[in-house]
Amino acid sequence: MLTTLQTTYTDTRAADLAWALGRERLPALAVLNLDLAGAKVELRLLGASHQVLLEEGEVLCSETVACMPGSSTPLPLGVAKRLGDWEYEFAARVEKLSSGSFAGRAQELLALVADHPNGLAGTFPGSPHAFTALLAQRHEGQVRWRTWHAYPQEGQLVATRTRVGVRTGAPADSLAPAAR
């Protein structure tokens, strides 16, 4: 799903992004609710930022990547945490692209996400290459999502990748029904 976000572009630098796990639901400009084989996933666009909420059985996960005033956790390159019998893994990278390469990559990503049933992308008024996009899937008992935050004025694209799934070596009875 592709939408034009009716807001000013506030997170204007990739360096302003921060990461948080466990934040409450924040006001969203666009939302896509998904059921991925029993996992309830909510993809949320927060201006130039994102929040993903995942609920499956006893597992609740809230990931936020946004410009968060007062946050002391900048965007990390990688995070691994345990959530009960589940593992959460997050990775981020910042790509610096030339203006021509940036425009092409932006069009490619927007086309990928806009046409995907599990994708949500929002562009900002005034710049067709200023966008935030999210894409979720379920694969081998894990819920995974990727996000892209585009900063055309800097030629930077922030890409994140997240995986939440059963911890290796967890007892078999801790598997959610959809993952068995």
Side-chain angles (χ1 to χ4, degrees), residues 49-97:
S49 311
H50 84 261
Q51 185 175 49
V52 176
L53 305 175
L54 166 65
E55 180 180 344
E56 183 173 10
E58 303 279 324
V59 177
L60 299 172
C61 178
S62 167
E63 173 189 281
T64 306
V65 172
C67 179
M68 296 179 273
S71 175
S72 60
T73 307
L75 190 64
L77 294 177
V79 175
K81 293 204 176 254
R82 287 188 180 172
L83 304 172
D85 287 334
W86 292 72
E87 290 181 338
Y88 167 91
E89 293 179 0
F90 171 87
R93 76 176 190 281
V94 178
E95 297 176 46
K96 179 75 171 158
L97 303 166

Side-chain angles (χ1 to χ4, degrees), residues 154-169:
E154 294 184 312
Q156 291 187 328
L157 182 67
V158 178
T160 74
R161 182 182 309 243
T162 302
R163 180 190 71 81
V164 180
V166 176
R167 190 173 74 227
T168 305

Side-chain angles (χ1 to χ4, degrees), residues 3-8 29 123-125:
T3 185
T4 299
L5 302 172
Q6 299 305 315
T7 188
T8 56
L29 299 171
T123 59
F124 294 87

Side-chain angles (χ1 to χ4, degrees), residues 14-156:
D16 291 340
L17 286 176
W19 167 88
L21 191 61
R23 285 187 72 115
E24 304 240 353
R25 180 179 271 111
L26 298 172
L29 299 171
V31 176
L32 179 62
N33 290 301
L34 303 170
D35 185 333
L36 301 178
K40 294 178 185 173
V41 178
E42 195 173 311
L43 303 178
R44 304 171 59 79
L45 293 177
L46 318 171
S49 311
H50 84 261
Q51 185 175 49
V52 176
L53 305 175
L54 166 65
E55 180 180 344
E56 183 173 10
E58 303 279 324
V59 177
L60 299 172
C61 178
S62 167
E63 173 189 281
T64 306
V65 172
C67 179
M68 296 179 273
S71 175
S72 60
T73 307
L75 190 64
L77 294 177
V79 175
K81 293 204 176 254
R82 287 188 180 172
L83 304 172
D85 287 334
W86 292 72
E87 290 181 338
Y88 167 91
E89 293 179 0
F90 171 87
R93 76 176 190 281
V94 178
E95 297 176 46
K96 179 75 171 158
L97 303 166
S98 69
S99 60
S101 295
F102 189 93
R105 183 79 170 126
Q107 290 174 340
E108 175 185 277
L109 289 169
L110 285 171
L112 169 75
V113 175
D115 293 338
H116 197 287
N118 298 341
L120 175 62
T123 59
F124 294 87
S127 178
H129 301 127
F131 69 91
T132 300
L134 301 94
L135 184 61
Q137 68 176 359
R138 178 141 193 149
H139 181 69
E140 296 179 357
Q142 300 175 342
V143 177
R144 301 174 183 197
W145 57 88
R146 296 186 67 187
T147 74
W148 299 270
H149 302 252
Y151 298 92
Q153 72 284 3
E154 294 184 312
Q156 291 187 328

